[in-house]
Structures are given as C-alpha cells and as structure tokens.
Amino acid sequence: MPDSLLPLEVNGLSFSIGQKSLLSKLELNIDSPGISVILGPNGAGKSLLVRLIHGLLKPGQGRISWNGKKLNLAIRKQQAMVFQKPVLLRRSVEANINFVLNNLSECHRSNCEDILQQAGLIQQRRQPARLLSGGEQQRLALARALATSPQVLFLDEPTASIDPTSTMRIENLLSQVRDDGVKLILVTHDIGQARRLASDVLFMHGGRILEHTEAQSFFNQPASKEAQAFIQGDLII
Ligand SMILES: Nc1ncnc2c1ncn2[C@@H]1O[C@H](COP(=O)(O)OP(=O)(O)O)[C@@H](O)[C@H]1O
Ligand SMILES: [Mg+2]
C-alpha cells in the first residue's frame, strides 16, 4: 500500500487569466478521509480549484502539496478525475475499461469484470459506449477512473446532467468507494447531494473559500451569510 497522499495543503493559491483574478490567495487543508464536498454557486471557482489541486492547471502563485510533497506527476498518477460530461472512447464498454487497465503496471491491475459488475454495466459490456444512456455513460466514466485504483478521486459535478435514478446509483457507488478507503473530492452545486454525501464542506463564492467545516456543523450553522442563503435555496450573486 503506498503512503497516503493526505494531507492536502494549499497555501496562498491564486489564479488569474489575463488581468482577471479568478482565485485569490486560497488557504486549504484537507486531512481527513471520506468525502470533501466543494459547494457553491456557478462561477464560484470550484472547477478551477479542483483542476489546480489535481494539476490540470498551473497556479499563478501559491503552493500545493500532498503529504508534504509538491504536486508532481507521480502524485497525479495516484489520482483520477470524473467530469460532468463523460469523455469515452468510441469503442465497447469493456474496451473503455481495458484501455485503462492495459496502460497500468501489473500490480495495479484490477479485473475488468469486477469493475463492470460494481458499476452495474456487466450486461452492456459488449455494447458501444456511445449507445449507453447518459447515466450509464457516467457510471462507465466513474468505473474507468476506479480501474486505475486511485487514492484520491476528484468528481466535478458528476450528476449535473443526469436523471434522479442515475444520480442515486452514482451516489451509491461513491459511498461504496468511500467505504473502500478512497479519498473523494466532490464538486457540486446540489445542496441535497452535499447533505447526503459530505464529510466536510468547503463553501466557495466569488473565487474565495468562505468556510471549510465538518458537514454537520456546516448545515446546522453555516458561518457566512452567503452559505446561509445558499442552504435556504436563495439565489446568491
Ligand atoms: N478559461 C477561462 N477564461 C476566462 N474566465 C474563466 C475561464 N475559466 C473559468 N473562468 C471564470 O472563472 C470563474 C470560476 O469558474 P469555475 O471554476 O468554472 O466556476 P464553478 O465551477 O464554480 O462554476 C467564472 O467566473 C468563470 O467565468
Ligand atoms: Mg464548475
């Protein structure tokens, strides 16, 4: 078993495009297992933050470290990410999984069948991936991410474009994955999903982290007025 990647420590993280500052001097420490939910309205900076901490974007300023080591390729290889819109190969369901498995070293190989079974896609294994429903495609994208046995899995609004039944299946899968010891960092603007899944909540607004608290205290007593409004379902701008 490799060393844990936690804690994640972020210091003075800023990100701009041109003259426009999009994230400004973020401080963050994630050191507990479970599901850390990044919650906030559209445009808050949630996607930018997860892309930065997973190394898909380079910060303008600041430091990102995992278990004391500066973010590097070896660390990124122990992580995976699922996006709102699944990106799949134009091949069969099982070929999408095997493609990933074939690129791994033996010791990391899990079994394609087990993975498809867990994702509830074993019946569809020989179908072209593009013929799956939206919910099934997202389960396949999740299964493919899990095939790499990540220690940390990022999910950016994974259920934003799928129906409630598929959302429930994905949420159940995420709970299982959490129970298997994978650290999940889940971006959502769905307050119900955050209540169902979060161990801790990071609330973002306007390119800042307004609070980071254990889930129960966040929902019982949010510290910022923006989070209070968000929890009540008010529009916040
Ligand atoms: N490539 C880009 N160029 C210019 N502005 C961007 C770019 N990417 C994101 N932004 C802006 O940064 C802000 C945060 O974006 P994002 O992280 O995608 O928000 P969220 O995921 O919380 O909805 C938004 O105002 C968005 O318009
Ligand atoms: Mg986003």
Side-chain angles (χ1 to χ4, degrees), residues 101-121:
L101 294 178
N102 291 339
N103 284 317
L104 293 173
S105 61
E106 280 300 328
C107 62
H108 278 100
R109 287 234 177 117
S110 24
N111 180 306
C112 179
E113 265 182 33
D114 292 348
I115 292 166
L116 290 176
Q117 196 82 49
Q118 189 189 23
L121 290 170

Side-chain angles (χ1 to χ4, degrees), residues 15 17 20 22-23 40-49 156-157 187:
F15 184 80
I17 290 183
K20 201 172 166 206
L22 299 175
L23 297 177
N42 278 328
K46 306 181 298 297
S47 293
L48 288 176
L49 176 61
D156 191 355
E157 311 252 11
V187 172

Side-chain angles (χ1 to χ4, degrees), residues 31-235:
D31 61 3
S32 54
I35 306 183
S36 295
V37 166
I38 304 181
L39 184 68
N42 278 328
K46 306 181 298 297
S47 293
L48 288 176
L49 176 61
V50 287
R51 281 170 162 76
L52 284 160
I53 59 185
H54 180 41
L56 294 177
L57 284 174
K58 289 237 178 303
Q61 277 173 347
R63 193 185 136 80
I64 299 163
S65 71
W66 290 89
N67 193 16
K69 293 201 192 73
K70 191 168 176 259
L71 178 57
N72 60 24
L73 191 61
I75 292 171
R76 289 184 55 192
K77 282 187 171 168
Q78 297 173 64
Q79 307 180 339
M81 184 148 170
V82 172
F83 299 90
Q84 179 175 342
K85 297 227 172 67
V87 188
L88 299 170
L89 298 172
R90 293 177 65 85
R91 298 186 192 176
S92 71
V93 167
E94 65 186 353
N96 268 270
I97 301 290
N98 281 325
F99 180 80
V100 171
L101 294 178
N102 291 339
N103 284 317
L104 293 173
S105 61
E106 280 300 328
C107 62
H108 278 100
R109 287 234 177 117
S110 24
N111 180 306
C112 179
E113 265 182 33
D114 292 348
I115 292 166
L116 290 176
Q117 196 82 49
Q118 189 189 23
L121 290 170
I122 199 79
Q123 306 293 339
Q124 295 93 325
R125 60 187 298 174
R126 299 198 210 287
Q127 276 187 32
R130 73 197 141 83
L131 296 185
L132 297 177
S133 72
E136 288 168 339
Q137 288 194 6
Q138 192 57 298
R139 292 214 300 283
L140 179 56
L142 176 55
R144 196 180 51 181
L146 292 172
T148 65
S149 307
Q151 286 199 48
V152 178
L153 176 63
F154 296 97
L155 303 119
D156 191 355
E157 311 252 11
T159 60
S161 31
I162 60 181
D163 62 77
T165 310
S166 301
T167 296
M168 196 177 72
R169 293 193 73 156
I170 299 260
E171 288 186 5
N172 289 341
L173 263 168
L174 296 181
S175 304
Q176 280 174 33
V177 171
R178 172 206 51 210
D179 294 346
D180 290 343
V182 179
K183 173 67 197 173
L184 301 184
I185 299 183
L186 169 69
V187 172
T188 186
H189 64 256
D190 177 347
I191 189 89
Q193 181 163 75
R195 280 184 194 275
R196 288 188 293 277
L197 293 176
S199 322
D200 54 303
V201 178
L202 254 129
F203 184 77
M204 290 189 75
H205 183 242
R208 289 172 191 277
I209 298 173
L210 297 191
E211 48 191 305
H212 180 203
T213 2
E214 183 268 319
Q216 209 165 353
S217 32
F218 176 81
F219 291 113
N220 290 342
Q221 218 165 20
S224 61
K225 63 180 191 327
E226 288 86 353
Q228 285 165 20
F230 193 78
I231 287 175
Q232 283 168 20
D234 295 345
L235 289 173

